[in-house]
Amino acid sequence: MDKDEAYQRLESHGIRPSLQRVEIMRYLLSHRTHPTVEEVYEGLSGKIKTLSRTTVYNTLRMFYEKKAAQMITIDEHRVCYDGDIHPHVHFFCNCCGVVYDLMNKRAPSQKRTVTDGFLVEDSQLYYRGICPKCMEEIAKKKAKAN
Amino acid sequence: MDKDEAYQRLESHGIRPSLQRVEIMRYLLSHRTHPTVEEVYEGLSGKIKTLSRTTVYNTLRMFYEKKAAQMITIDEHRVCYDGDIHPHVHFFCNCCGVVYDLMNKRAPSQKRTVTDGFLVEDSQLYYRGICPKCMEEIAKKKAKAN
DNA sequence: ATGGGTGCAAAGGATTTGCAACATT
DNA sequence: AATGTTGCAAATCCTTTGCACCCAT
């Protein structure tokens, strides 16, 4: 149960693997739902009785700064995180608030590059709109109305 | 001073042109600095004595919903708005917090399209890193240290 | 014993909500 | 009158900060 993917991700990004950090990374890697701080906290507070929100905040932020996770600011209300560090497009449903991956879409690479004197450290491509589920819901409601 | 660009932008997007709305749009169009709600409020509260933050919040949000402005969530701490509705890339400086336009970069179009059952209503491409100004500052500090 | 890591409680700050007043048709 | 618009005050909620404690080296 040691030396798993989570542990290795921390090591390879120069992050000391404390118990909390490993568990938070493990949560990120096993929940590909773009969790918020609150969700990670809720998900782990049963397993780590003393866990605090502050630690989750600090840890996720550090994962992002060390490029061990992606920070997603697609939802104006809350930041969420993604353990998948390959470039891919995120879709935010304006209706239900879920963040989806759009794997088929091409996204800019995450490599450090310099453009016009700007040092690019990371990039995010966001789409917003209505997800298939909500589209169906809306269609149902319309059908009922008639 | 009537029927200016701001007024027309509202009309063409189906927004009733109240005094506040026209002024807020005029502010957006004449300040290409990606202002926050607070900045718009500060900038106009001298001109419109009774203006409230609530109105600025509601109005900017509605501009975004009616596609009369872009909503930018690149900064995790605050939302900002852009009167330029042509697709272009935004760059956030992690150091000074300024949001820049990267005009030379290609951005996805803002047209409504359907991809894999997802209805895309708008898209945003964000780069984060260090801006030229801050790069220079850092270089200066390094030079001094030696 | 020293520095890094954690966690509690409090503070901070952006945004929303409820509701009353106001304007406009 | 009816509807849409504005604005104040209060509430909400995400996030940060300060500080003390703890753990490992």
Side-chain angles (χ1 to χ4, degrees):
Chain A
M1 193 61 174
D2 268 23
K3 294 285 174 189
D4 62 355
E5 198 189 344
Y7 195 96
Q8 284 168 30
R9 174 76 66 90
L10 298 191
E11 264 191 334
S12 65
H13 289 260
I15 300 167
R16 293 195 186 173
S18 74
L19 180 103
Q20 287 86 339
R21 288 170 179 179
V22 173
E23 285 300 336
I24 292 171
M25 180 54 81
R26 195 172 283 158
Y27 187 94
L28 268 193
L29 293 178
S30 57
H31 296 77
R32 299 310 181 89
T33 54
H34 313 102
T36 62
V37 168
E38 190 61 26
E39 278 155 17
V40 174
Y41 172 75
E42 288 295 336
L44 288 177
S45 59
K47 199 169 181 182
I48 310 174
K49 295 296 180 191
T50 61
L51 186 66
S52 77
R53 255 170 273 260
T54 306
T55 298
V56 181
Y57 272 101
N58 293 339
T59 302
L60 288 173
R61 139 105 18 185
M62 185 197 48
F63 286 177
Y64 158 67
E65 284 169 353
K66 301 247 171 165
K67 296 186 192 302
Q70 291 197 53
M71 180 178 70
I72 301 173
T73 60
I74 197 171
D75 179 352
E76 63 194 290
H77 292 106
R78 66 203 99 251
V79 174
C80 60
Y81 291 88
D82 193 343
D84 183 351
I85 48 181
H86 298 101
H88 59 282
V89 180
H90 289 116
F91 180 96
F92 179 75
C93 180
N94 288 318
C95 192
C96 63
V98 171
V99 176
Y100 295 87
D101 290 328
L102 290 189
M103 288 309 197
N104 300 335
K105 284 277 170 183
R106 185 170 298 165
S109 89
Q110 300 284 3
K111 276 192 216 128
R112 273 170 80 104
T113 54
V114 177
T115 312
D116 296 334
F118 291 86
L119 172 65
V120 177
E121 291 182 329
D122 88 292
S123 63
Q124 292 286 324
L125 177 50
Y126 297 149
Y127 287 2
R128 278 190 269 253
I130 317 277
C131 74
K133 238 181 249 178
C134 288
M135 293 271 273
E136 211 177 311
E137 293 286 327
I138 293 166
K140 267 185 202 166
K141 271 182 197 164
K142 266 192 188 165
K144 262 188 193 171
N146 297 343
Chain B
M1 194 63 175
D2 267 24
K3 294 285 174 188
D4 61 356
E5 199 189 344
Y7 194 97
Q8 284 169 29
R9 174 76 65 91
L10 298 190
E11 264 192 335
S12 66
H13 289 260
I15 300 166
R16 293 196 185 173
S18 72
L19 180 103
Q20 287 88 337
R21 289 169 180 180
V22 173
E23 285 301 336
I24 291 171
M25 180 54 81
R26 195 172 282 157
Y27 186 94
L28 268 193
L29 293 177
S30 58
H31 296 77
R32 300 308 181 92
T33 54
H34 313 100
T36 62
V37 167
E38 189 61 27
E39 277 155 16
V40 174
Y41 172 75
E42 288 295 335
L44 288 176
S45 59
K47 199 169 183 182
I48 310 174
K49 294 295 180 192
T50 61
L51 186 65
S52 78
R53 254 171 275 258
T54 306
T55 298
V56 181
Y57 272 102
N58 293 338
T59 303
L60 288 173
R61 138 105 18 184
M62 185 197 47
F63 286 178
Y64 158 67
E65 283 168 354
K66 303 246 172 167
K67 297 186 190 301
Q70 291 196 54
M71 180 177 71
I72 301 173
T73 59
I74 197 171
D75 179 354
E76 61 194 291
H77 291 106
R78 67 203 97 252
V79 173
C80 61
Y81 291 88
D82 193 343
D84 183 352
I85 48 180
H86 297 102
H88 59 283
V89 180
H90 290 115
F91 180 96
F92 179 75
C93 180
N94 287 318
C95 192
C96 63
V98 171
V99 176
Y100 296 87
D101 289 329
L102 290 189
M103 289 308 197
N104 300 334
K105 284 277 171 183
R106 184 170 299 165
S109 89
Q110 301 283 3
K111 276 192 217 131
R112 274 169 79 104
T113 53
V114 177
T115 312
D116 296 334
F118 291 86
L119 172 65
V120 176
E121 291 182 329
D122 87 292
S123 64
Q124 291 288 325
L125 177 50
Y126 298 149
Y127 287 2
R128 278 191 267 255
I130 316 278
C131 75
K133 238 180 247 177
C134 287
M135 293 271 273
E136 211 177 310
E137 293 286 328
I138 293 166
K140 266 186 202 164
K141 272 183 197 165
K142 266 192 188 165
K144 260 187 194 171
N146 297 345

